[in-house]
Amino acid sequence: FFILFLCYLSLFITGQTFLSFQWDIFILETGVCSFLYSPTILSILFRSSSISQSAENNKNNFLSHFAHPGTLLLRWLAFKFMFSSGVVKLTARDKAWQNLTAMEYHFATTCLPTSEAWLFHNFHPIVLRFMTAVTFFSELPSAFCFLLPFRYIRYFTAFLQVFLMIGIFLTGNYNWFNIHYSITMIPLLETDILDFLSRKYINKYFCLIFG
């Protein structure tokens, strides 16, 4: 990971304007986070600790509920990337986004539109406005679900994000961005300490309050 990071960092610095797009910075940030997400001494200790104990003890073992040490960091990175994408659209004061009409122009002006983009471009305006609303939902409120301690909500959010990436992939050419971002959804599917705490405390008090 370190060597790959240095190689792309050298390209990023050399390419300047040509390699200063959002996905270029995103891949460098992912490279840094991958250092912690890759097998480390910390994760090895956690996993060896869980292997050495019985199945019953694993349920109560605090360390066994950790996934990778970099899981939360990668979730935060995915959140930052998607949420900032939505904020940029809102703060641009573009009437097309404000009126939910952006998709009426997007598919004709996206990067190297595909034949599927022509099909999407000819959808009814109501459908296109609905797609714009779904985009906002995926980038703004849905992004907060990345950080929630409820894994089934994160599962739904991850599949929603991948579905959005498939739509972008079918209608335009953004190089590796769609695949790259979809891969960062993997940490959302992992069970970690937040899920452990939610099952042990949040669900318990929720049941006490609501019966």
Side-chain angles (χ1 to χ4, degrees):
F1 286 115
F2 182 70
I3 295 176
L4 291 174
F5 170 78
L6 290 181
C7 289
Y8 200 84
L9 180 62
S10 63
L11 291 174
F12 175 79
I13 297 175
T14 305
Q16 300 182 17
T17 303
F18 299 99
L19 286 176
S20 60
F21 293 98
Q22 185 183 27
W23 46 80
D24 294 304
I25 299 173
F26 185 45
I27 199 171
L28 289 173
E29 293 175 332
T30 306
V32 174
C33 295
S34 297
F35 299 155
L36 296 176
Y37 192 69
S38 60
T40 59
I41 296 177
L42 187 59
S43 64
I44 293 174
L45 290 175
F46 285 168
R47 294 178 186 277
S48 62
S49 175
S50 63
I51 294 174
S52 63
Q53 299 197 16
S54 64
E56 183 63 26
N57 290 335
N58 280 339
K59 295 180 181 179
N60 300 318
N61 185 4
F62 188 76
L63 295 181
S64 67
H65 292 280
F66 278 92
H68 289 274
T71 297
L72 296 180
L73 187 59
L74 277 170
R75 290 179 189 172
W76 173 258
L77 176 63
F79 164 78
K80 180 183 76 70
F81 181 85
M82 186 53 63
F83 185 73
S84 62
S85 298
V87 170
V88 166
K89 294 179 177 61
L90 290 178
T91 56
R93 297 181 180 179
D94 190 332
K95 292 184 178 180
W97 287 110
Q98 294 176 354
N99 299 330
L100 300 181
T101 59
M103 292 300 171
E104 298 180 20
Y105 314 99
H106 169 74
F107 297 113
T109 59
T110 189
C111 298
L112 300 177
T114 62
S115 56
E116 289 80 10
W118 178 86
L119 178 64
F120 279 70
H121 179 71
N122 287 279
F123 280 171
H124 193 279
I126 294 180
V127 176
L128 293 173
R129 293 190 180 190
F130 174 76
M131 294 173 67
T132 307
V134 171
T135 300
F136 273 123
F137 177 78
S138 301
E139 294 180 345
L140 294 172
S142 178
F144 285 96
C145 296
F146 296 178
L147 310 176
L148 293 180
F150 307 105
R151 57 177 176 172
Y152 292 110
I153 295 179
R154 294 201 308 270
Y155 289 172
F156 170 77
T157 305
F159 288 120
L160 177 63
Q161 298 296 323
V162 172
F163 181 77
L164 176 65
M165 290 299 107
I166 292 175
I168 297 175
F169 176 79
L170 291 175
T171 57
N173 186 353
Y174 288 87
N175 295 319
W176 63 82
F177 160 68
N178 313 102
I179 300 175
H180 176 191
Y181 181 75
S182 297
I183 291 176
T184 62
M185 294 295 101
I186 293 177
L188 271 67
L189 308 179
E190 295 192 30
T191 302
D192 62 7
I193 189 59
L194 293 180
D195 300 298
F196 170 71
L197 293 176
S198 68
R199 290 196 303 269
K200 189 172 183 180
Y201 298 106
I202 299 177
N203 293 342
K204 177 181 177 181
Y205 293 120
F206 183 86
C207 293
L208 289 176
I209 294 174
F210 296 99

